[in-house]
């Protein structure tokens, strides 16, 4: 025993030099009395953690060689079955819990039992799958970050463009207002000068009249003192008082001048703002060509896909994308975000222009509730927005070219009379479940009355 003790002391001293002391967050040897060394293994039978030196007995003594050793662990009680006080050496797949050998003969007798190693392998496979899913989610989040970042960058560019354009528009408005103000002031000053000049003429005439009247007054006094009756009667008619000059001078009123100027100013401001709105939207112009696979059999398309008119029905192959009830045709391109295009409608008595969902039902009437957002002309002078219900548009001049603007995110579809620079109508609060396509309807040609085509025009801003 003394010999064994000496060897143990020597081993303990050697361990102090060859092994590392345990850090506060590491499992330490429960046997070390002086410097606590880092545990090398924990025994589930002894419920004790050992450094390499003190683990020697578990390696040499036959009686304890069979003890269950695990990697160093705190709270060793968690590795022991609380019911049977035995190591948890197996895994119940039925109940998804660790069990001891006695559990397999009692509560888990008919359950599916596997070794801890086999259970760990299965769980590790699940971990691999979970890890792959996590990596996939991480990748998706990174892509979403890139998407959001790109969206913010686009938003900043849009904001910068809008601010620059706003400055340009309001600078022009301010300049126009300053010119208008100067013109009003000049007009008022000129009117005042005219009034003053007129008043000066009246004053001069009145002063001359006063001089003449004073002379007559003096003559009257002299005549009133004469004793010569013949002289009095002879001169009396010649000194009768003439009627006074009628002079009416009223201060000039400038209220109507200012009111007219303000009315003109308001109209001009509205015109300039509408023009600025159209110019801004024209910046999102896209190239549109018509899709022959969607064209009704009575429609005639040009080779470049820019012109459509109504004609005789043709024998075309079946295509589920083709309009078979209404004389419509979709654009080949579908869009999201913001886009703008223009259509020439000159010379027509009927037409329909707008946009539709790419997946729209080809057999339904054109209506905002059916995924169509369009305006149309009927009978040569009836302009309507195909909302639900229909909206009559108060168009004063015949439209020659229609501009269509879509803001996918805002749910907005706006229409403009391009030549008159006038806003015609806007659909707001639209729900776009997929991408959007231009849609045209030239209407029936009515025996040649409405034979003019619809032409997709290149967008050019008017100075």
């Amino acid at each position: 025993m003394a010999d064994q003790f000496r060897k143990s002391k020597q081993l303990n001293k050697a361990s102090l030099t060859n092994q590392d002391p345990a850090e506060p967050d590491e499992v330490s040897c429960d046997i070390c009395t002086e410097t606590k060394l880092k545990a090398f293994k924990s025994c589930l039978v002894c419920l004790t953690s050992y450094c390499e030196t003190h683990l020697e007995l578990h390696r040499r003594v036959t009686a304890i060689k069979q003890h269950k050793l695990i990697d160093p662990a705190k709270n060793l009680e968690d590795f022991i079955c609380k019911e049977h006080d035995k190591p948890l050496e197996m895994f119940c797949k039925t109940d998804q819990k660790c069990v001891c050998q006695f559990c397999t003969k009692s509560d888990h007798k008919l359950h599916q039992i596997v070794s801890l190693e086999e259970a760990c392998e299965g769980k590790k496979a699940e971990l691999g799958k979970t890890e792959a899913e996590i990596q996939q989610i991480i990748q998706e989040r990174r892509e979403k970050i890139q998407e959001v970042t790109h969206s913010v960058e686009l938003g900043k560019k849009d904001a910068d463009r809008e601010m620059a354009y706003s400055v340009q528009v309001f600078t022009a408005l301010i300049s126009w207002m300053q010119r208008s103000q100067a013109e009003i002031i000049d007009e008022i000053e000129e009117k005042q000068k005219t009034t003053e000049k007129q008043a000066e003429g009246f004053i001069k005439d009145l002063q001359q009249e006063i001089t003449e009247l004073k002379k007559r007054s003096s003559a009257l006094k002299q005549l009133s003192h004469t004793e010569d009756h013949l002289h009095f009667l002879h001169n009396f008619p010649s000194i009768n008082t003439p009627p006074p000059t009628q002079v009416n001078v009223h201060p000039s009123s400038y209220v109507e001048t200012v009111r007219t100027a303000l009315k003109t100013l308001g109209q001009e401001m509205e015109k300039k703002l509408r023009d600025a709105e159209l110019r801004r939207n024209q910046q999102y112009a896209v190239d549109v060509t018509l899709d022959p696979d969607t064209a009704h059999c009575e429609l005639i398309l040009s080779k470049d896909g820019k012109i459509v008119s109504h004609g005789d029905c043709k024998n075309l192959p079946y295509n589920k994308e083709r309009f078979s009830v209404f004389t419509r045709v979709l654009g080949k391109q579908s869009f999201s975000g913001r886009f703008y295009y223009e259509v020439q409608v000159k010379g027509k008595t009927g037409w329909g222009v707008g946009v539709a969902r790419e997946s729209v039902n080809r057999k339904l009437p054109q209506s905002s509730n059916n995924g169509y957002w369009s305006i149309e002309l009927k009978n040569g002078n009836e302009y309507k927005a195909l909302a639900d219900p229909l909206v009559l548009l108060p168009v004063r001049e015949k439209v020659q070219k229609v501009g269509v603007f879509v803001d996918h995110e805002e749910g907005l579809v706006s229409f403009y009379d391009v030549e008159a620079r006038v806003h015609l109508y806007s659909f707001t609060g639209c729900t776009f479940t997929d991408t959007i396509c231009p849609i045209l309807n030239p209407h029936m040609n009515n025996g040649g009355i409405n034979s003019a085509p619809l032409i997709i025009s290149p967008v050019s801003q008017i100075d």
Side-chain angles (χ1 to χ4, degrees), residues 78 170 176 242 247 255 297 300 313 336 338 342 354 367 428 436 457:
D78 295 340
F170 281 98
W176 187 88
V247 178
V255 174
C297 65
I300 303 171
C313 185
S336 58
R338 296 173 180 172
E342 293 179 354
S367 167
T428 59
I436 303 300
S457 305

Side-chain angles (χ1 to χ4, degrees), residues 37-38 55 110 147 160 205 233 254 314 329 389 403 424 435 456:
L37 299 180
K38 187 190 301 184
L55 189 64
L110 300 178
E147 180 182 337
D160 292 341
D205 292 343
L233 293 173
Y254 307 107
K314 301 178 293 297
V329 58
L424 296 174
T435 52
I456 298 174

Side-chain angles (χ1 to χ4, degrees), residues 319-353:
N319 189 328
K320 65 177 182 179
E321 302 297 324
R322 190 180 307 282
F323 288 98
S324 58
V325 179
F326 303 97
T327 55
R328 306 172 189 157
V329 58
L330 289 176
K332 277 186 178 181
Q333 301 81 8
S334 61
F335 304 94
S336 58
R338 296 173 180 172
F339 69 94
Y340 174 88
Y341 76 101
E342 293 179 354
V343 181
Q344 180 178 307
V345 296
K346 185 177 181 180
K348 295 190 66 61
T349 59
W351 50 260
V353 173

